[in-house]
Structures are given as C-alpha cells and as structure tokens.
Amino acid sequence: MKDGNNWAEYRPQSEDGVWASYMKYDEDENYYYINNSKCSLCVPKKKHNKFYISKNGEWEVIYNTTDIYDVASEYDYMLYFKYYKVADAEGKLQEVNEPASISLSRKGKMRLCCGNKSYDGKFSELAVTTLRNSDTELGFKLIVDENNYIQFIGDWCMVNVESICPFMDFMDCTNKDLIEIIKNKIKDKSFFVD
C-alpha cells in the first residue's frame, strides 16, 4: 500500500498489521524504487513485470506480478518459494533460480506459477502425511487424482501432477507457516468450503 512516498507491506495471510515500511526514492516508467534500512525493492507499475529485491547491491527476482495481481482474489492461500527445480527430458531435476508459487482455494482450485508460466488445476482431497510406521507428521499431500499429487514437506514441495505440468520441486518456502495452518485445517476437516 502506498501513501505518497511512504509505502507499507502487508502480509494478511501470515501476520496482522504492517509487516515492513519503505520510502520511495525513485521511479521510472516501469518501476517504483523503494527502500528501508534492510533492503531495496523494485515494484512494477505494470502487470507483467517482476518484483526485485536488493540486500547486498545485487538485484534478484522475488515475485512475478501474475502471482500477486491475478490470483490474490481467487485463492485463499498462496505459498511462495525462492526457486524451483524442473525435470528435463531425461527426468533429471534442473535448478531454476526464479521464484515459484502455489495458490490454493478452499473450493479445490489451484494454480502453480514458476518463471513466466502458470498451470491451473483442481484437487479433491488433502491428507496429512506421516513418517512411515510412525505418528510423526511430515506435512500434507494435495491429491489431484489417483496418480497425481503435490507433497508438502517442511519448506519444500514435490509437484507430481503430470496431467497439468512437468515434474518439479519447489524449494525454500518463504511463508512455510501456512503449511502448518493448512495441515491443521485438514486435521479438523475444515479446509474445504462450499
């Protein structure tokens, strides 16, 4: 949210109130440039540009605008990952140093975004997963059908949904507290809504 040169960052899915404050120090036709004592951000003015962050003088992509502007109103949970790995033609995972996200609706819709691509799909079931022969919870599994699923464990997830996208791993979740929130809704059977 902006108010003149004063900017505020809110993360309503993970925290109440202002998460960080910034001051605008420059702008051009494509971006606003804002900063605080910890980092600088490059915020796009147009829908199909990327958000950049600089902490040590080097800019890196942190979000694609399609992740934010296109899906925020349709999805209840958006999990963001720092980078992803995608299977090549031989099935070997190749690292891609770009952000990725998975958006979930409590009505069973999902969207996966990585690089400049997005994949839409549906799921009908969620299940808490445990360590084999144990009650130790690992995370949860989003089940698309008998052979297609997304497995969330810790701060990464395995995307095995060949019906809509290549095999991928999304790595280093930046808001992994949502994984626990979703897991608790699965356990008390309150995730899905009409």
Side-chain angles (χ1 to χ4, degrees):
M1 186 173 106
K2 63 179 181 172
D3 178 14
N5 290 334
N6 297 308
W7 289 63
E9 182 177 359
Y10 294 90
R11 296 190 178 189
Q13 292 181 331
S14 58
E15 187 171 329
D16 292 330
V18 175
W19 187 78
S21 297
Y22 303 90
M23 288 293 295
K24 184 179 90 170
Y25 67 89
D26 200 2
E27 73 178 274
D28 59 30
E29 67 181 62
N30 294 313
Y31 292 96
Y32 296 105
Y33 299 91
I34 61 176
N35 65 4
N36 63 19
S37 62
K38 295 180 182 176
C39 67
S40 295
L41 295 174
C42 190
V43 179
K45 291 182 175 180
K46 298 178 182 173
K47 180 177 175 182
H48 295 290
N49 285 324
K50 298 176 180 179
F51 281 71
Y52 292 85
I53 189 169
S54 173
K55 291 184 180 177
N56 301 317
E58 292 186 29
W59 291 97
E60 66 178 90
V61 176
I62 54 171
Y63 298 117
N64 290 315
T65 53
T66 54
D67 294 356
I68 296 167
Y69 300 132
D70 289 352
V71 301
S73 62
E74 294 180 47
Y75 294 90
D76 300 289
Y77 300 104
M78 292 184 291
L79 296 150
Y80 296 102
F81 300 84
K82 289 186 179 177
Y83 65 100
Y84 66 100
K85 297 177 182 179
V86 64
D88 63 16
E90 297 173 0
K92 294 180 182 174
L93 288 170
Q94 304 295 318
E95 187 172 312
V96 180
N97 191 20
E98 288 199 24
S101 68
I102 298 178
S103 303
L104 303 176
S105 159
R106 293 178 68 192
K107 294 183 178 183
K109 286 177 46 182
M110 67 177 178
R111 176 175 287 175
L112 287 72
C113 295
C114 50
N116 292 323
K117 296 180 181 176
S118 64
Y119 305 94
D120 292 314
K122 295 183 177 187
F123 59 97
S124 57
E125 190 178 342
L126 293 163
V128 173
T129 56
T130 57
L131 193 60
R132 183 174 284 163
N133 301 322
S134 167
D135 290 334
T136 305
E137 294 176 356
L138 295 176
F140 71 92
K141 184 184 273 189
L142 180 151
I143 301 163
V144 175
D145 58 41
E146 187 176 316
N147 300 310
N148 293 282
Y149 61 88
I150 300 173
Q151 174 77 48
F152 293 84
I153 302 172
D155 67 348
W156 70 281
C157 75
M158 177 185 3
V159 178
N160 185 14
V161 192
E162 292 180 36
S163 57
I164 63 168
C165 65
F167 182 86
M168 295 182 280
D169 283 349
F170 286 8
M171 308 299 296
D172 202 0
C173 185
T174 60
N175 57 341
K176 63 183 177 184
D177 55 312
L178 285 181
I179 293 173
E180 192 68 23
I181 291 169
I182 294 168
K183 189 175 73 170
N184 288 334
K185 289 195 175 295
I186 296 166
K187 286 165 63 175
D188 68 18
K189 298 181 177 18
S190 67
F191 181 86
F192 287 108
V193 295
D194 293 330

